[in-house]
Structure formats: C-alpha cells, structure tokens
C-alpha cells in the first residue's frame, strides 16, 4: 500500500518559473518511490508569469485539490496592472511612484507574512476530508509564499499524528527583498515570531542551499535536510560548441538590483578593442528584464548586440541554453543573497554550456561551479578577471574549441535522484 503524502503549494502550472518545477517534479517521481501523492493548489491564482506548456508535465497518477483564493493583487491590478505584475515578479522601480510605494508598504505591513495569507482558512477547510481518512500522512508545505507554512503549522496543531515537512525554497526573514518591504517594528516582530513558530513546530525543515541550512541551524533544533533544486530535462549530449555567433545568454528574470555593471563594462571594452569580437558577439536575454537593466545596456552601447526575447516557455528556454556559447548567472551583490542558489543553475548544468557567474563574495553558487567544472565565478570587484575569462572563451570559440568540460557531478542534481533523497527524508521522520 502506498504511503500518503499531501503537498501544499501555491505555485503550480500554469505558473511559470523554477519554483513551480520543484514540486511538480517531486510529485512526478514520488509515486515511483511508493507514495500516493495529493497536491493542494489554488483554483484561481493570479500568477505573475504563466507557462502553459508546464500543464503537460502534471502527472496523471496524482490527485489535485484546488482551493479558491482571494488575491489582493487583482484589486491592486485594477489601479495599475503593469505595476502590480512587476511587484509580483520582484521588479521594483527605484524611482517608484507614490502608488507603488504605498502598495509595497501595504504588502509589508498588512499582509503578514505575505499577500497569500488569506488562503490559509479555505485550505484548512478543504483538506478536512483528506485528513479524516489519512490521520498518519506526511504533509509538505513549500514557500515562498511562506504563508503556506502557516497552513502546515495549523494542521500539525489540529492533527498531531501527521508528520510535517516545511520546504524553504528561499529564506524567510533574511531574504534579500525583505528589507525593501518598508516593514514597521510591529511587522518585523511578527515575521520573526511566525518564522520561529514554523521552524520549531515542523518535524523537519528542507532547505535548498547550505547557507540557509546553516542559518536555520542557529535558530532551531528541528532536523534539517538539504535538497537542492535540479533538472529533469535530458542533458545535452553535445559537448562540442554550437554553431552560430558568440552568444552570451541569460535565461530568467533580471531584476534592477541584479544589474552587473562590471559585466556590461567588460563587454563594452571587448567590443571596442576587437572588431572580430564586435562582429561575432550577441547578448541574449530570455525572461522578464527590468527597465533599469535595459537602460544600462543602452548606456554601455550594447543595445546593438542585444537580442531581448522577453518571457519564453520552459521548452524554449532550454533550446536557448543549448545554443548559447556561454550562460550568464547574475546574483544580487548583498550578504543576504550569498545563500541563494537559483533554480536555473541546475538546468544550466544539464545544458553543458560554460557558465559565467557574477555574485557576492562567498556565494553558494561558487562551490557548485567548482564541483561540477561548469564555469567560473566572479564577485563584483573582479571586473578584469571577468573580462579576461570572457576573452578566453571567445578565443576558444574562434578556434572551434569552446567545448564542455563538465564532470559527472551534475548527475546528482537529476530530479529522480533528488526525489530518492526526499523519500529517505520522509522515512526518517517516521522512524
């Protein structure tokens, strides 16, 4: 008899982005590991980005419970749909209007921990029949939004016989954008108190990066398991460089705070110093990009090389990865973002194209790149080293030798393998 697992996730197809794929893929592979999977998702969500192609990946052997949700973003969207969508995507305008500032303040101080907190009560009611039949099931909540963890906390209180695993795809009170929410003292204390309740009440915490695991270990004695994100696409078997121009591609959202001036400056200098580089170079951005980023590209005279594709489906993003000469990975230059391991890095691994990463000193992604021989990492003070590495890749490209040097360490990030770790983690909490 298969063991029951109840997953509660706000993000689910047709939502786009790496946060969707994490539990979509776990739901795919858990039944193959002996689990009967039920997933609770919103019935009428207001997602910032959509990727309807992911609907085809929803497993047929799972049960979905769809619960209606009241989205404050819909009401705000009546005032300014574009501004609301940008806020949902994390694209904050540094020269924000009064309306935008007011929306951020309301979001931070009246919707604690986040704007989806109102979904808790409808979900609790909707899962009552399930829990009456499955008194000893495993409940998994995944955040952000971290209000989903409040559902897990309540269920653990109502049905102590369940085992509750809280999955943190990102940190809570130390995440980079937290300080931008204009939190008052009351709101700050409430966030910290809720975080502590969740960390102490859960039977086990799942984190996606060692940094977050270290942070939580200093805050609680609850067991912690590291399970990174991963990839489910067939790895690129072509280790030789692809045909075409010298394309440097960034796949995914590029926020204003993630504006790598040292990269733009390096590329500008290389274009001015070498006519051959200028003729061969193309900068490709696939995903939502802030206006500030686009303005910087113009300021550094790189717009003539820009191929801005906007938001693309997951399948399309994989295609662009496979055809790039190198892939760009940009993280915000703050201490808080050292812990972040972007979900796309694992699909970058599977593409087997060299990675050029820029981020804060001692970033978690640096160790991943070193372990997999997948590229080079540079902090924001290493402009000359970054320029030299790009020049090196271009030199290999001109010789037809910009090939993949990845090792077999990327195999550990296959979704099927990661689900085996999750399965053992579930077994652990029941021992």
């Amino acid at each position: 008899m298969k063991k029951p697992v109840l997953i509660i996730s706000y993000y689910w197809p047709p939502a786009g982005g790496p946060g969707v794929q994490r539990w979509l893929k776990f739901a795919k592979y858990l039944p193959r590991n002996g689990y009967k999977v039920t997933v609770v998702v919103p019935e009428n969500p207001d997602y910032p980005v959509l990727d309807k192609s992911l609907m085809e990946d929803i497993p047929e052997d799972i049960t979905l419970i769809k619960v209606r949700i009241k989205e404050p973003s819909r009401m705000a969207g009546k005032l300014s749909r574009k501004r609301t969508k940008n806020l949902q995507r994390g694209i904050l305008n540094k020269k924000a209007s009064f309306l935008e500032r007011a929306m951020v303040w309301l979001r931070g101080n009246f919707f604690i921990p986040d704007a989806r907190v109102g979904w808790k009560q409808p979900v609790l009611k909707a899962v009552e029949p399930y829990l009456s039949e499955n008194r000893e099931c495993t409940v998994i909540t995944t955040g952000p939004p971290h209000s989903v963890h409040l559902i897990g906390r309540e269920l653990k209180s109502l049905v102590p016989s369940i085992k509750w695993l809280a999955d943190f795809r990102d940190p809570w009170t130390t995440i980079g954008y937290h300080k931008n929410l204009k939190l008052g003292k009351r709101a700050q204390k409430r966030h910290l108190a809720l975080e502590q309740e969740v960390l102490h009440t859960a039977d086990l915490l799942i984190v996606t990066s060692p940094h977050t695991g270290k942070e939580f270990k200093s805050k609680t004695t609850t067991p912690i398991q590291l399970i990174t994100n991963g990839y489910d696409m067939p790895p690129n078997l072509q280790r030789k460089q692809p045909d075409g121009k010298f394309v440097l591609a960034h796949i995914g959202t590029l926020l204003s705070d993630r504006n790598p001036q040292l990269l733009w400056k390096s590329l500008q200098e290389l274009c001015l110093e070498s006519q051959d580089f200028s003729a061969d170079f193309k900068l490709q951005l696939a995903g939502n990009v802030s206006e500030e980023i686009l303005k910087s590209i113009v300021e550094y005279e790189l717009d003539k090389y820009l191929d801005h594709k906007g938001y693309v489906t997951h399948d399309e993003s994989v295609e662009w990865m496979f055809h790039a000469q190198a892939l760009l990975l940009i993280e915000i230059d703050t201490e808080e973002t050292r812990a972040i391991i972007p979900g796309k890095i694992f699909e970058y691994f599977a593409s087997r194209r060299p990675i050029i990463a820029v981020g804060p000193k001692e970033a978690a992604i640096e160790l991943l790149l070193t372990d997999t021989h997948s590229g080079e990492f540079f902090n924001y003070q290493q402009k000359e080293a970054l320029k030299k590495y790009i020049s090196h890749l271009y030199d290999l490209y001109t010789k037809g030798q910009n090939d993949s040097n990845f090792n077999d360490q990327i195999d550990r990030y296959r979704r099927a393998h990661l689900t085996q770790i999750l399965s053992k983690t579930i077994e652990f909490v029941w021992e």
Side-chain angles (χ1 to χ4, degrees):
M1 183 176 179
K2 290 193 172 183
K3 295 161 281 190
V5 172
L6 181 69
I7 300 168
I8 304 174
S9 177
Y10 172 78
Y11 289 105
W12 190 257
V20 181
Q21 296 170 46
R22 178 172 174 82
W23 285 97
L24 176 63
K25 299 305 181 180
F26 281 141
K28 172 183 175 180
Y29 288 109
L30 275 173
R32 305 180 193 184
N33 286 264
Y35 293 92
K36 183 179 180 181
V37 176
T38 300
V39 186
V40 180
V41 299
E43 181 180 2
N44 57 326
D46 185 29
Y47 293 132
V49 293
L50 299 176
D51 185 350
K52 294 183 179 180
S53 69
L54 293 177
M55 297 287 288
E56 300 174 3
D57 294 336
I58 299 177
E60 295 182 357
D61 54 352
I62 68 170
T63 300
L64 286 179
I65 299 176
K66 296 186 176 182
V67 183
R68 291 190 65 80
I69 182 172
K70 292 182 179 179
E71 296 271 33
S73 56
R74 284 200 177 93
M75 185 179 297
K78 293 179 181 179
L79 301 175
S80 175
R81 192 62 179 163
K82 181 179 179 181
R83 288 171 177 169
T84 301
K85 283 297 179 186
N86 282 343
L87 287 172
Q88 286 179 286
R89 293 167 182 156
I91 301 176
L92 302 177
N93 185 356
K94 290 188 175 181
K95 297 180 179 180
S97 67
F98 173 79
L99 177 61
E100 288 172 312
R101 294 196 302 273
M103 289 169 63
V104 170
W105 187 85
L106 287 170
R107 151 69 177 87
N109 292 275
F110 279 84
F111 296 95
I112 300 172
D114 51 66
R116 276 83 190 204
V117 67
W119 195 43
K120 185 180 82 168
Q121 289 305 130
V123 170
L124 292 174
K125 185 175 182 180
V127 301
E128 283 180 1
Y130 177 91
L131 290 174
S132 67
E133 296 180 7
N134 299 278
R135 306 296 290 183
E136 294 187 349
C137 68
T138 302
V139 174
I140 302 174
T141 56
T142 178
H146 294 308
S147 57
V148 175
H149 295 314
L150 303 188
I151 300 172
R153 181 197 62 175
E154 190 74 13
L155 291 177
K156 183 66 178 177
S157 173
L158 295 171
V159 190
S161 56
I162 67 171
K163 296 295 184 181
W164 169 36
L165 282 64
D167 174 63
F168 286 84
R169 303 191 312 276
D170 288 318
W172 187 331
T173 57
T174 58
I175 196 167
Y177 63 74
H178 205 71
K179 62 180 180 293
N180 296 324
L181 295 177
K182 314 295 183 186
L183 300 178
K185 290 184 179 180
R186 172 186 165 277
Q188 289 176 335
K189 289 181 180 179
R190 185 62 178 153
H191 272 285
L192 289 169
L194 290 174
E195 180 187 53
Q196 283 297 306
E197 289 179 19
V198 168
L199 296 185
H200 291 319
T201 307
D203 292 289
L204 185 138
L205 308 173
I206 302 174
V207 296
T208 58
S209 85
H211 282 71
T212 305
K214 184 177 180 181
E215 175 197 337
F216 286 173
K217 190 175 182 180
S218 71
K219 294 179 176 180
T220 183
T221 57
T222 301
I224 299 169
Q225 175 65 55
L226 170 67
I227 306 180
T228 67
N229 287 309
Y231 65 88
D232 197 42
M233 65 191 199
N236 186 3
L237 300 178
Q238 175 61 42
R239 292 178 178 266
K240 297 293 184 182
Q241 73 175 43
D243 297 330
K245 282 184 169 288
F246 184 67
V247 177
L248 301 187
H250 181 276
I251 312 297
T253 302
L254 203 50
L255 307 177
S256 298
D257 288 342
R258 204 173 282 160
N259 192 358
Q261 304 281 346
L262 75 164
L263 174 62
W264 310 142
K265 181 62 176 175
S266 297
L267 292 172
Q268 181 190 46
E269 291 178 0
L270 287 168
C271 288
L272 292 173
E273 292 167 4
S274 170
Q275 290 184 350
D276 290 339
F277 185 93
S278 179
D280 291 331
F281 170 59
K282 180 191 287 187
L283 175 63
Q284 191 174 83
L285 303 180
N288 294 310
V289 181
S290 73
E291 290 297 326
E292 184 173 335
I293 297 285
L294 295 175
K295 287 179 181 177
S296 289
I297 289 172
V298 172
E299 289 172 3
Y300 285 96
E301 301 176 320
L302 297 173
D303 49 312
K304 68 182 80 171
Y305 309 102
L306 178 62
D307 177 18
H308 182 202
K309 297 190 173 298
Y311 185 79
V312 298
T313 66
H314 179 253
D315 289 344
E316 289 171 327
S317 71
V318 171
E319 181 180 350
W320 298 127
M321 288 181 206
F322 279 29
H323 289 91
Q325 293 298 329
L327 296 167
L328 301 171
L329 186 67
I330 313 298
E331 195 45 80
I332 302 170
D333 187 23
T334 64
E335 184 176 346
E336 295 89 347
T337 55
R338 291 185 305 173
I340 293 177
I341 301 177
K344 64 170 165 263
I345 193 174
F346 302 102
E347 295 196 334
Y348 276 16
F349 290 164
S351 75
R352 285 197 166 96
R353 301 309 307 142
I355 299 172
I356 303 171
V358 178
K361 293 180 179 179
E362 301 179 4
I365 54 178
E366 183 175 7
L367 181 59
L368 282 176
L369 296 178
T370 302
D371 285 348
T372 55
H373 297 176
S374 55
E376 295 288 337
F377 173 87
F378 305 91
N379 64 50
Y380 279 78
Q381 286 71 50
Q382 294 180 296
K383 182 254 179 184
E384 289 304 318
L386 170 62
K387 178 182 173 183
K388 184 177 180 180
Y389 182 62
I390 296 173
S391 181
H392 168 67
L393 291 180
Y394 178 68
D395 184 54
L396 293 176
Y397 161 81
T398 60
K399 298 173 181 176
Q401 298 174 357
N402 186 29
D403 305 332
S404 168
N405 293 315
F406 287 39
N407 58 31
D408 293 335
Q409 292 296 322
I410 69 167
D411 290 341
R412 69 171 71 172
Y413 302 113
R414 291 181 295 108
R415 298 283 189 183
H417 173 71
L418 294 168
T419 307
Q420 291 177 356
I421 299 175
L422 174 62
S423 178
K424 292 178 180 177
T425 302
I426 295 172
E427 293 173 6
F428 168 79
V429 298
W430 284 101
E431 291 178 354

